[in-house]
Amino acid sequence: MRLAVRVQLSFMMFLEFFIWGAWFVTLGTFVLKNLQGATDERVGYAFLTQSIGAVIAPFIVGIIADRFISAQVILGAIHLVGAALLWICSGMTDFDSFYPVLLVYMILYMPTLALVNAISFRQMSDPSKEFSFIRVFGTVGWIIAGLLIGWLQWEQSNSLDLTFKMAAGVSLLLGIFSFTLPKTPPAKKGTEISVREILGLDAIRMLKNRSYLLFFLASIAICIPLAFYYNFTNPFLNEIGMKAAAGKQSMGQMSEFLFMLVMPLFFARLGVKKMLALGMLAWVVRYALFAYGNVDTNYWMLIAGIILHGICYDFFFVTGQIYTDRVAGEEFKSSAQGFVTLATYGVGMLIGFLISGPIVAAYKTSETMHDWHAIWLIPAGIAAVVLVLFMLFFRDSKQ
């Protein structure tokens, strides 16, 4: 790959994830503090737009980008429209009007995660060696977005509407920049459209493998407590008085970056089952640390809980992607990844987003305060049950 193309793709990844990290981390706090009619349940509904977008995304990419329009063109068009929608979101003051705009935006944004990957892969001769270097700039973009929000103190000054304006500006930049990216014409132009292929349902036969079936069910179940983290970590940290909470949360992505580098060493020594189990155990420990942490004597617990993100994400989700690729074999590699993504970010987190809001609302102690100790022990308990069942029944079958 030429250096100029490498720089282009790296900048594309940086902007793609900067946009998401710029507003998504503080979304729960924005909803509760800036929108009339907002409740804890509605925080869950706001994050639910991600799952809806994840379910619809394969149709947009599979039907339009794969068969009719070049990937870089549709990427640019989506981000130009997205810039306008994000700017509109920044000025919203009522949840009922904010929600449909956010929903439309996420239905458009989620397919771009696949589009940037597709554009990158088409330029690579050996993706297994080249892609990680490109993708890591996405993590850097998310980190810098969080650090900027913390440094500018938008949470403390109740100026989170500026996060949407910042994201809108960067989305406009990426929209324009996308048209300069390497041409990525439709790979399946003229072929018939298969719903089974788009949803990855060709890979459903993998569930005949008992070990993979247990992993698949565990993946859905572990995404339920994961939704608590996405929904309420930022409101929780701001409520208990942590300064520059969004900036502190970016340490989770820093941890993700570091653990990604050492994963091959752990994988060689531990194998699939222990890696997946450690990932699930990290979720239990993280929520327990949040339950008992505070900004005074146990501040370290909050920081440790954030830093555990590297193990939580890399050891379970990345290991799961590798395991899925191994079980699928050559024939179903692409459809298998789409299938497990639909199940986790679609079904699993959808359930989590729906139940987390009512649970947090049930432990509200005043107009602005919650019993966070009790709240965090619930996802910790769910993750612990999933871990125990997984350890008892999962066997790393290589069949």
Side-chain angles (χ1 to χ4, degrees), residues 20-70:
W20 198 5
W23 63 270
F24 191 74
V25 173
T26 55
L27 175 62
T29 303
F30 174 82
V31 169
L32 291 171
K33 290 188 175 181
N34 291 62
L35 301 181
Q36 297 177 5
T39 62
D40 293 320
E41 292 91 342
R42 287 187 161 187
V43 170
Y45 298 155
F47 280 93
L48 185 63
T49 58
Q50 173 192 279
S51 294
I52 297 172
V55 171
I56 297 175
F59 289 96
I60 296 177
V61 175
I63 294 176
I64 301 176
D66 281 354
R67 289 173 170 81
F68 299 108
I69 305 175
S70 295

Side-chain angles (χ1 to χ4, degrees), residues 8-9 12 16 61 64-66 68-80 111-112 114-120 122-123 171-187:
Q8 276 186 304
L9 298 179
M12 172 191 71
E16 172 76 12
V61 175
I64 301 176
D66 281 354
F68 299 108
I69 305 175
S70 295
Q72 83 279 3
V73 174
I74 190 172
L75 179 69
I78 286 176
H79 278 297
L80 290 176
T112 67
L115 288 171
V116 294
N117 288 346
I119 293 169
S120 299
R122 292 281 287 276
Q123 312 308 316
S171 184
L172 177 63
L173 173 61
L174 180 53
I176 297 170
F177 177 72
S178 294
F179 295 106
T180 71
L181 291 169
K183 293 182 179 180
T184 312

Side-chain angles (χ1 to χ4, degrees), residues 5 16 29 52 100 106 155 181 211 214 231 255 284 303 315 335 360 385:
V5 174
E16 172 76 12
T29 303
I52 297 172
M106 286 305 279
E155 294 158 288
L181 291 169
S211 295
L214 288 169
N231 279 12
S255 168
V284 180
I303 300 300
F315 278 42
S335 58
V360 171
V385 170

Side-chain angles (χ1 to χ4, degrees), residues 3 29 48 89-90 96 123 128 169 190 200 222 240 292 352 371 379 382 388:
L3 177 61
T29 303
L48 185 63
C89 284
S90 71
D96 290 333
Q123 312 308 316
S128 64
I222 204 67
I240 65 175
Y292 291 96
D371 181 358
I382 297 172
V388 170

Side-chain angles (χ1 to χ4, degrees), residues 133-392:
F133 178 81
I134 302 296
R135 174 60 181 81
V136 75
F137 281 91
T139 302
V140 173
W142 187 293
I143 291 170
I144 291 180
L147 291 176
L148 268 175
I149 295 169
W151 178 61
L152 295 169
Q153 298 186 350
W154 285 344
E155 294 158 288
Q156 284 71 46
S157 61
N158 196 27
S159 303
L160 289 178
D161 58 301
L162 296 177
T163 63
F164 285 95
K165 291 180 179 178
M166 178 172 67
V170 178
S171 184
L172 177 63
L173 173 61
L174 180 53
I176 297 170
F177 177 72
S178 294
F179 295 106
T180 71
L181 291 169
K183 293 182 179 180
T184 312
K188 300 178 181 179
K189 191 172 183 178
T191 61
E192 293 184 6
I193 297 172
S194 167
V195 175
R196 290 180 61 83
E197 175 193 352
I198 292 169
L199 292 179
L201 295 182
D202 285 330
I204 200 169
R205 67 190 68 182
M206 292 168 59
L207 300 183
K208 293 179 181 179
N209 180 325
R210 181 175 176 274
S211 295
Y212 190 79
L213 174 61
L214 288 169
F215 159 74
F216 183 82
L217 295 175
S219 297
I220 293 175
I222 204 67
C223 281
I224 296 173
L226 170 60
F228 282 79
Y229 179 78
Y230 282 135
N231 279 12
F232 290 105
T233 300
N234 190 256
F236 157 67
L237 295 176
N238 277 288
E239 186 175 307
I240 65 175
M242 177 180 280
K243 302 297 182 184
K248 300 293 194 309
Q249 284 183 258
S250 68
M251 288 190 290
Q253 276 64 47
M254 297 177 195
S255 168
E256 177 188 333
F257 172 75
L258 293 175
F259 276 104
M260 190 77 74
L261 297 178
V262 299
M263 265 198 68
L265 299 176
F266 282 98
F267 204 96
R269 291 177 177 271
L270 300 177
V272 170
K273 181 173 182 176
K274 290 180 180 177
M275 288 283 286
L276 293 171
L278 277 174
M280 288 187 278
L281 177 62
W283 285 108
V284 180
V285 175
R286 157 181 269 181
Y287 289 132
L289 289 169
F290 282 177
Y292 291 96
N294 55 60
V295 292
D296 300 318
T297 55
N298 290 329
Y299 188 80
W300 68 271
M301 290 187 175
L302 302 176
I303 300 300
I306 293 171
I307 293 175
L308 273 175
H309 181 77
I311 299 178
C312 291
Y313 184 83
D314 292 344
F315 278 42
F316 189 85
F317 287 97
V318 177
T319 300
Q321 291 165 1
I322 296 171
Y323 177 59
T324 296
D325 185 77
R326 191 180 77 187
V327 174
E330 291 300 324
E331 188 177 0
F332 301 113
K333 284 185 183 293
S334 297
S335 58
Q337 294 295 339
F339 184 50
V340 75
T341 299
L342 180 69
T344 52
Y345 285 93
V347 178
M349 292 192 69
L350 185 146
I351 297 170
F353 289 143
L354 286 175
I355 70 170
S356 58
I359 288 174
V360 171
Y363 287 93
K364 198 168 188 177
T365 57
S366 68
E367 187 65 29
T368 58
M369 303 298 289
H370 299 78
D371 181 358
W372 289 109
H373 172 77
I375 290 169
W376 289 122
L377 289 179
I378 293 173
I382 297 172
V385 170
V386 176
L387 171 62
V388 170
L389 293 175
F390 178 81
M391 290 299 295
L392 287 175

